[in-house]
Amino acid sequence: MPDASHTVPRHLDVAIVGGGLAGLYAIHRLRRLGLRVRAYEAGSGVGGTWFWNRYPGARCDVESLEYSYSFDAELQQDWKWPERYGTQPEILKYVNHVADRFDLRRDVQLDTRVKSALFDSKANEWVIKTDTGEEIRARYCVMAAGNLSTPRVPDFRGLQGFNGKWYHSGLWPHEGVDFSDLRVGVIGTGSSGVQMIPIIAEQAKHLTVFQRTANFSLPARNVPMPAEKERAHKAQYPARRAAAMETPFAIGGYPKPTRSALEVDKAERDAAYESKWQEGGSISYLYAYTDLLVNKASNDTASEFVRNKIRAIVKDPRTAELLAPKNHPIGTKRLCLDTNYYETYNRPNVALVDVRSDPIDRITETGLELESGTAFELDAIVFATGFDAMTGALNEIDVATSGGAVLRQHWEGGPLTYLGLMVAGFPNMFIVTGPGSPGVKTQMIASIEQHVDWIADAIDHLGRHQLDRIEPTPQAESEWVSHVNQVADSTLYPLANSWYMGANIPGKPRVFMPYVGGFDRYKRHCDAVAAQGYQGFTLSRHETVAA
Ligand code: FAD
Ligand code: NAP
């Protein structure tokens, strides 16, 4: 580690926190404005999510022809996705290809965690300090630190004394893990758990799944990429990308629903759900009718269809009932996609344990124990227990201003942003897909590109008008937060205890964080804000620079 005290601060136009898909695109886009930029990445490689989440079965759940960058026409033509949904190694290979192809690595500093970011108002600069002891001074700071980048292991007593090995899905060993002949416990049945459970079950001597909340999962129906599908998609790529911009999830290719689920009879509805079930993919299913995410009675029909599928697949009726989600409407927690998830519970070496009725009390030297005293002997424990989502990465950084504002305090009651892009009182700090943005409810690379483009345009606008400071007004921030809440309250989303609500982290404020008004509506709004001279923002020229 370099000696902290004697290093000369590095001066940049833009400091970027994070070297995932967002950080990399930010380098590319901001460099084109002639700016000096550099990204600081805690990991030892680029790729973010796809660098860290190497658990068995990790892959995207949005088709790869969509879940990929759109900013370069040749890139999207050249890259060949071998399967309908890219695996983690394939996506990581793609990200590394992008880093090389656009010469991004020279502006990424790996193995460097940003510890603090202080806005020095007099100098009109962000002063960023890293765990390697460096100081960076930059006019603008772009937080591209990720929404699902702070892995969360629950505070179970006794973990340190466990004699076996334990893992978290988001911190998976690079060399992989061989579960052969082991008694394995997986805690958690969100998207990560649902992807890894079928594969671990094939390897392990015995697998026990500890489930607190049953999640809805649909078949992914992954296949090798059909050549004709790839050809047709690539022939229309620009039009398809443009069409995706006009949809709520930033994913094109699905006919827009026109009817409520309650406008048709049960036979017609079930036929529609069956066809979506066979097609695979979550957007298609949720897009079967106009009102599945806003009308409980409509949603009940879609939820019950999937519950009945689970009952039909899983042979043991007690296990099937435990797996059939009943405490939230389908789609209000992230809808999982799987390959043979429910089928896995028909294996003789797999058991499901309900830890809602009998929670995990502690980890023992040889396994774990529930509150009732029931004990399980385990050689390995896998925590598929998720992340401190949306605010975790930013709250781990000491973000403050010389005027005394502290981000953690500003967000004590839940995150406050304007457009999910900026925070009142924290000038020149941008967030990519932050709370209050639709990011996590969309094909995220589309949101990342839209956010970064908006940020780059704003910085360019400032430069062209001899301005150098931008921040949202407190009023614009509070109106946006109210709007985000109002929109959420008009949907079924708040009915679920999800990470969208911070419900997975004990003590975290229960606030619905993403904007669920749709990517299309959000993008139009952001464009209008910019076109109207950045309405809701104060743009200024810093006095000492002007003097
Ligand atoms: P990240 O990829 O999270 O990158 C952020 C980076 O910032 C990380 O590498 C982290 O190490 C770094 N960082 C954080 N704090 C600091 C700090 N203080 N100092 C330095 N570096 C820091 N989205 C979809 O749309 N479709 C999918 O199918 C999909 N699948 C997913 C599967 C998994 C397993 C997970 C966890 C997420 C998935 N997502 C998916 C969401 C995914 O996070 C985004 O699609 C996208 O990869 C986010 O990119 P990002 O660059 O914004 O953030
Ligand atoms: P998650 O959805 O938050 O799931 C965590 C699981 O752990 C939940 O089942 C949760 O139960 C359980 N859990 C947490 N604490 C527990 C405790 N103390 N005791 C028992 N169970 C506990 O996390 P994730 O599966 O890692 O997924 C996070 C997000 O990443 C997804 O929603 C998605 O956006 C993204 N992702 C996508 C894919 C993909 O398919 N492409 C794959 C993985 C992740 P509760 O529900 O009761 O809290």
Side-chain angles (χ1 to χ4, degrees), residues 19 90 92 106-107 122 201 245 278 408 439 453 485 539:
E90 190 61 33
L92 187 59
R106 68 183 155 91
D107 286 326
K122 261 193 176 163
M245 301 285 100
Q278 294 306 332
R408 265 184 227 117
D453 287 345
N485 288 327
L539 277 58

Side-chain angles (χ1 to χ4, degrees), residues 273-488:
Y273 293 145
E274 179 65 32
S275 132
K276 306 285 183 186
W277 176 272
Q278 294 306 332
E279 180 186 336
S282 53
I283 301 301
S284 164
Y285 194 83
L286 294 175
Y287 233 39
Y289 294 104
T290 52
D291 55 352
L292 294 183
L293 292 170
V294 292
N295 181 332
K296 176 75 168 50
S298 294
N299 186 290
D300 285 345
T301 64
S303 296
E304 188 60 12
F305 180 87
V306 176
R307 282 192 287 266
N308 284 335
K309 282 287 183 193
I310 298 168
R311 290 171 184 131
I313 295 169
V314 180
K315 291 186 181 135
D316 172 42
R318 198 188 142 272
T319 305
E321 252 355 277
L322 269 181
L323 286 166
K326 293 171 199 93
N327 78 347
H328 65 280
I330 190 167
T332 56
K333 281 171 93 106
R334 170 76 173 216
L335 188 47
C336 304
L337 281 197
D338 71 89
T339 301
N340 295 331
Y341 177 63
Y342 295 117
E343 290 82 350
T344 296
Y345 292 93
N346 293 332
R347 294 177 65 100
N349 68 333
V350 176
L352 180 68
V353 174
D354 173 23
V355 295
R356 177 164 299 280
S357 60
D358 189 0
I360 297 168
D361 179 47
R362 67 187 181 107
I363 309 294
T364 62
E365 283 181 12
T366 55
L368 65 76
E369 200 173 290
L370 308 184
E371 283 184 2
S372 64
T374 309
F376 295 85
E377 299 284 300
L378 302 168
D379 304 307
I381 300 177
V382 178
F383 294 95
T385 45
F387 302 84
D388 185 352
M390 305 206 67
T391 52
L394 261 63
N395 279 336
E396 281 202 344
I397 303 170
D398 292 325
V399 180
T401 71
S402 55
V406 174
L407 187 66
R408 265 184 227 117
Q409 285 170 10
H410 191 66
W411 282 7
E412 224 161 32
L416 308 172
T417 69
Y418 181 36
L419 303 175
L421 283 163
M422 292 197 86
V423 183
F426 295 82
N428 293 356
M429 181 184 83
F430 299 95
I431 308 174
V432 185
T433 64
S437 122
V440 295
K441 294 300 307 161
T442 67
Q443 190 280 85
M444 280 204 71
I445 306 181
S447 283
I448 285 168
E449 290 183 328
Q450 183 269 339
H451 283 61
V452 171
D453 287 345
W454 192 95
I455 293 165
D457 288 346
I459 292 175
D460 189 36
H461 175 92
L462 291 167
R464 281 187 289 104
H465 292 81
Q466 287 78 50
L467 301 168
D468 55 15
R469 190 181 286 193
I470 178 169
E471 67 178 300
T473 65
Q475 189 191 342
E477 180 179 87
S478 111
E479 285 173 5
W480 181 252
V481 171
S482 300
H483 175 63
V484 169
N485 288 327
Q486 267 166 17
V487 173

Side-chain angles (χ1 to χ4, degrees), residues 114-310:
V114 168
K115 300 295 285 179
S116 67
L118 178 81
F119 184 70
D120 176 344
S121 187
K122 261 193 176 163
N124 198 35
E125 280 177 339
W126 280 94
V127 182
I128 287 158
K129 294 195 173 158
T130 70
D131 65 351
T132 53
E134 279 173 88
E135 181 174 308
I136 301 112
R137 290 183 160 258
R139 170 73 21 96
Y140 301 102
C141 175
V142 173
M143 294 293 186
N147 287 300
L148 297 161
S149 55
T150 313
R152 163 88 192 165
V153 176
D155 302 325
F156 293 127
R157 287 185 297 142
L159 183 57
Q160 296 320 320
F162 179 53
N163 287 336
K165 294 228 165 105
W166 64 267
Y167 310 91
H168 186 284
S169 59
L171 293 168
W172 205 259
H174 288 202
E175 63 279 12
V177 180
D178 182 3
F179 290 111
S180 308
D181 293 328
L182 299 184
R183 295 163 304 174
V184 182
V186 171
I187 303 174
T189 52
S191 302
S192 302
V194 160
Q195 285 187 329
M196 69 172 73
I197 284 165
I199 296 175
I200 296 179
E202 282 172 10
Q203 262 187 28
K205 183 158 82 188
H206 190 269
L207 170 64
T208 311
V209 177
F210 298 92
Q211 172 186 277
R212 186 165 71 182
T213 306
N215 260 316
F216 288 99
S217 186
L218 303 177
R221 311 246 181 249
N222 185 46
V223 285
M225 180 66 73
E228 178 48 29
K229 180 183 167 97
E230 181 184 4
R231 195 204 56 72
H233 200 106
K234 286 186 170 175
Q236 304 166 342
Y237 236 143
R240 282 176 171 267
R241 296 287 197 191
M245 301 285 100
E246 301 302 323
T247 68
F249 304 108
I251 302 175
Y254 299 104
K256 205 170 175 180
T258 52
R259 288 188 296 177
S260 156
L262 304 181
E263 275 179 59
V264 298
D265 64 22
K266 183 172 184 316
E268 184 177 344
R269 222 168 27 224
D270 283 353
Y273 293 145
E274 179 65 32
S275 132
K276 306 285 183 186
W277 176 272
Q278 294 306 332
E279 180 186 336
S282 53
I283 301 301
S284 164
Y285 194 83
L286 294 175
Y287 233 39
Y289 294 104
T290 52
D291 55 352
L292 294 183
L293 292 170
V294 292
N295 181 332
K296 176 75 168 50
S298 294
N299 186 290
D300 285 345
T301 64
S303 296
E304 188 60 12
F305 180 87
V306 176
R307 282 192 287 266
N308 284 335
K309 282 287 183 193
I310 298 168

